[in-house]
Amino acid sequence: MPENKFYYVCKYTPLEMLSGFGAEAVRLDVAPANFDCADECSHPNLCGYGKSVIEAVAAQNIRALILTDCCDVMRRVYDVLKARGTLDFLELLPLPHKRGSTESKLFADALERLAQRWAAYSGQSFDSAVALSAWENGRAEAVQAQINGPHISLTGAHGGKLLYDTVTSRFRLPVTDDTCTGRRELPPCASGKSDAAAFYSVYAPALLGQARPCLRMLDCQGRATDETAVGVICHTVKFCDYYSFEYRNLKANKEVPLLKIETDCTPQSAGQLHTRLDAFAETLHAVSEKVASSGPVHYAAGVDSGSTSTDAVVMDAQRHILGSVILPTGAGAAHGAEQALTQALAQAGLSRDELDAVVTTGYGRETIGLSDSSVTEITCHAKGAHFLRSSARTVIDIGGQDSKVIRIDENGNVRNFIMNDKCAAGTGRFLDMMARTLGLTLGEMSALGLQWKNEVNISSMCTVFAESEVVSLVADNTSTADIIHGLNRAVAGKTAALAKRLGGEPEYIMTGGVAQNQGVVLALGEKLGCEVYVPAEAQLCGAIGAALIALGD
Ligand code: ADP
């Protein structure tokens, strides 16, 4: 006898109807470590969600799965799973795009066919009274879980439990799961009809008429952001067109602060995701833990534990920099941070006990363990940049492993930001690798790049392919200065595109280690059509911002 249990993905799956068969419903919610199986048997352009469904079926002992034809990806997932033939029960439920009477009738017929197949598979019979009571119970639970006060709306493409829990852990406010597989709330059952024949005709329009429809529905007004949402996080998955449209629509509404995040439905890139979420929480003043310092602060330190350098700054209450150090991060971030702080304190002539507050920032901010207060690089660079140049309105920070563009207001608060951290392109790492290929130090490469004569185009932004291009140019006797200029322009082009996407506006200030490469700065100014200011303390900017926050700014 097959088990009376099925897995599902879509919120239009008729859970209540299947409860009428006594079936147990399990939402397929997995974040696989990789897509080994999916990559073997499906098209590479399938989105991460589709691939994660294939992985889950391969990895778990799933016997019955109900999919809906909600998008092309789910249709392809169905094809792949059908061809693999490992499931005993696999259904692709046709889902109309509208809630009209014809569509409801079609859907009711489809539900009835599914019910017949489930009866044949499970050997159970349908009890409409049980289904109706599951409907009412589900509704009561959904109504009870409603959040009416200030909250964060997590919307867009499926993110699952992993993303929901991650977002919840970073914000002080409650979070509603408004993603495509999130909140499921059916309207009340209008009729008390409990005979099986009538059930489908009342249930089909109710299932289609959920309070928060899928974006695939022609009428998706119900997806409008709740008035009580103080911030919206829009999740997209590569190759998911529908929810990219949702982002575009949300962007048009300038009233509610919006953050776009992209994942591939795996736990990869968790560090970068935390930085984005924390920075957004900081701009909304909704961080789960806030910097707290008790008593007056006479001396404070900021430590920026980056991917490439670890920087420490010690400041007094008058905002004078008493000590500052930049060290390579190396293998042990915690050890490097400790060393940087010790050296900065020695420069300042202070002992550790004289420090009243320490704020950490950077990629290793939460792991280096120097303080209880950590703030993202985004907020720290904004604060630091405002301190170094109060007229700056857009900060461009190019560090070792990512680049960021941050719009700030006249007080140094973050208005908006964008990050590129998906690959080395457009970051310091790209330039570091090219310097190695050319056999130059960073200082030599920066100086030589200013002596260019002819423009050379480096068309590949992928570090590996760009390296091959550089090797070919060297073989063609292209001058090293021209090659470096081509590389600088490639990095500048990528960064300028980020700045334009964010709506950056002058005055621009550049921070981070790459600001020391004057060729990149000049090329960036050319692409942006305006001057880019570089402070002498560019690489220390994050640590300066952290020290300012430690002082209470
Ligand atoms: P992170 O904060 O990620 O550790 P940084 O802001 O310290 O990164 O920037 C590191 C990058 O700065 C390096 O990858 C390198 O490309 C660039 N950089 C560091 N020193 C120099 C220099 N003297 N000249 C040119 N570029 C430099």
Side-chain angles (χ1 to χ4, degrees), residues 25 46 53 67 101 110 135 274 321 327 357 369 379-380 391 398 417 419-420 431 451 458 463 512 520 522 535 547 550:
L46 213 61
V53 173
L67 301 171
S101 57
W135 182 347
H274 289 173
I321 298 177
L327 294 179
T379 301
C380 289
S391 49
I398 311 186
F417 67 91
M419 264 175 98
N420 158 45
L431 293 167
Q451 294 168 25
I458 309 280
T463 311
V520 172
L522 292 173

Side-chain angles (χ1 to χ4, degrees), residues 197-429:
F199 176 80
Y200 300 101
S201 62
V202 276
Y203 182 57
L207 194 52
L208 282 179
Q210 294 191 42
R212 197 170 165 82
C214 160
L215 195 75
R216 183 183 175 279
M217 291 291 160
L218 289 180
D219 174 10
C220 48
Q221 297 291 319
R223 289 194 66 78
T225 306
D226 289 344
E227 280 171 12
T228 51
V230 296
V232 175
I233 298 171
C234 182
H235 176 234
T236 63
V237 183
K238 201 169 177 184
F239 305 122
C240 178
D241 292 343
Y242 280 113
Y243 286 95
S244 300
F245 294 145
E246 174 151 71
Y247 172 67
R248 191 200 55 192
N249 297 342
L250 287 165
K251 215 173 155 193
N253 170 10
K254 303 246 186 293
E255 313 255 297
V256 188
L258 172 67
L259 173 74
K260 180 186 176 186
I261 52 173
E262 187 181 297
T263 74
D264 61 358
C265 296
T266 72
Q268 286 168 20
S269 310
Q272 286 97 326
L273 179 61
H274 289 173
T275 299
R276 281 186 167 80
L277 293 172
D278 289 354
F280 189 56
E282 285 160 10
T283 62
L284 299 176
H285 305 291
V287 260
S288 56
E289 250 173 54
K290 210 41 204 151
V291 179
S293 111
S294 50
V297 180
H298 303 292
Y299 298 106
V303 179
D304 181 352
S305 172
S307 65
T308 312
S309 73
T310 299
D311 323 318
V313 163
V314 174
M315 265 189 187
D316 65 14
Q318 287 70 45
R319 279 63 178 159
H320 297 127
I321 298 177
L322 306 179
S324 64
V325 171
I326 299 172
L327 294 179
T329 296
H335 178 65
E338 189 67 50
Q339 266 190 322
L341 181 59
T342 306
Q343 291 183 23
L345 280 168
Q347 266 185 35
L350 293 172
S351 71
R352 187 68 176 270
D353 293 344
E354 288 172 278
L355 264 188
D356 300 305
V358 180
V359 165
T360 56
T361 186
Y363 195 55
R365 67 188 178 280
E366 287 178 331
T367 49
I368 54 175
L370 284 177
S371 77
D372 295 332
S373 305
S374 68
V375 178
T376 63
E377 311 84 283
I378 307 202
T379 301
C380 289
H381 274 267
K383 281 263 181 274
H386 177 71
F387 173 78
L388 297 169
R389 188 78 162 180
S390 59
S391 49
R393 290 295 171 270
T394 308
V395 186
I396 294 182
D397 165 35
I398 311 186
Q401 74 168 12
D402 61 31
S403 56
K404 309 175 188 78
V405 181
I406 311 159
R407 289 187 62 189
I408 57 175
D409 67 16
E410 60 285 359
N411 300 314
N413 296 315
V414 177
R415 286 180 59 198
N416 209 349
F417 67 91
I418 192 164
M419 264 175 98
N420 158 45
D421 53 23
K422 287 273 179 278
C423 71
T427 70
R429 191 65 42 91

